[in-house]
Every structure is written in C-alpha cells, then in structure tokens.
Amino acid sequence: IKIYVMDPSMRAVQDNYASFHRDIFDEQGNLDLAAFNDFDGKGELCQSALSNTGFIAAVLFMWTVTCFTELRSTQRLIDQFNALPALPQECTSADMVNETQDAEELICLS
C-alpha cells in the first residue's frame, strides 16, 4: 500500500507544492497574488492537508488544547480580579494602584 498508493500521492503533493513555491513567490520571497489566482494546482494544494485525516486530527487536537489553555488562563485572571477588594469610599481611583520602581500592582477595584 505504501509503495503503490501512499508514495505516489505524497510525491504528487510534493511536486505540486514545489511548483507552487517556484511559480507563486518572487526572488525576495514575496507572494504574488495574481500568480496565485492563476495557479492551476491551488485546489489540490489547498485540499492536500484535509486529505490526510491523521494530520488534520493532530492539528485540530493541538488547536483545541491551545484554546482550552487560553480559556483556563482567562478564567484564572478573572478569578484574580474578582478576588480584589472593593475600593473604600474615602479613596480615589488613583489609590487603586500601588506603584513601585519595578512594577505597578492593582490592589483594589472601584
């Protein structure tokens, strides 16, 4: 299967990508949009990642983990803000921040 099915399809994708890189980018490495629009193999090139289910599953898994990590970081930040005490009535909004030489620290919310 590898020799007769996978190798020819991988070779076709590699050849298509090589011609894409050769025909679409200039000497400085800039993308030529007009050349891309006229490129005959762009449909096959764009679909090549989706044809490999293992690859797309790995990419989607990593993206999902990254999203959950970002959500968890955001939740922790929200928890830290919610844990701050309220600004006392006699204080001004300038008293919300403790300024030191190295950093500024939020000590309460209004």
Side-chain angles (χ1 to χ4, degrees):
I1 290 177
K2 181 183 183 311
I3 294 171
Y4 295 109
V5 176
M6 293 180 65
D7 285 345
S9 65
M10 285 189 295
R11 181 65 183 178
V13 169
Q14 289 173 341
D15 289 343
N16 193 13
Y17 184 75
S19 64
F20 163 76
H21 218 277
R22 181 185 61 245
D23 298 341
I24 304 304
F25 292 94
D26 62 14
E27 294 80 24
Q28 291 79 30
N30 299 317
L31 178 71
D32 182 358
L33 287 177
F36 177 74
N37 290 332
D38 295 335
F39 183 63
D40 292 331
K42 70 179 169 185
E44 294 85 13
L45 186 66
C46 292
Q47 291 297 320
S48 63
L50 296 177
S51 65
N52 185 339
T53 56
F55 173 77
I56 195 70
V59 169
L60 288 174
F61 176 75
M62 290 186 294
W63 176 72
T64 303
V65 168
T66 302
C67 288
F68 278 116
T69 302
E70 190 65 31
L71 285 172
R72 185 64 184 134
S73 297
T74 302
Q75 180 61 45
R76 286 183 180 134
L77 187 60
I78 290 170
D79 291 344
Q80 290 174 350
F81 278 121
N82 287 335
L84 289 172
L87 182 67
Q89 291 290 336
E90 65 274 1
C91 296
T92 66
S93 59
D95 297 328
M96 290 176 24
V97 178
N98 181 26
E99 296 180 26
T100 63
Q101 185 176 3
D102 297 329
E104 295 177 348
E105 179 183 33
L106 189 61
I107 55 174
C108 60
L109 293 175
S110 60

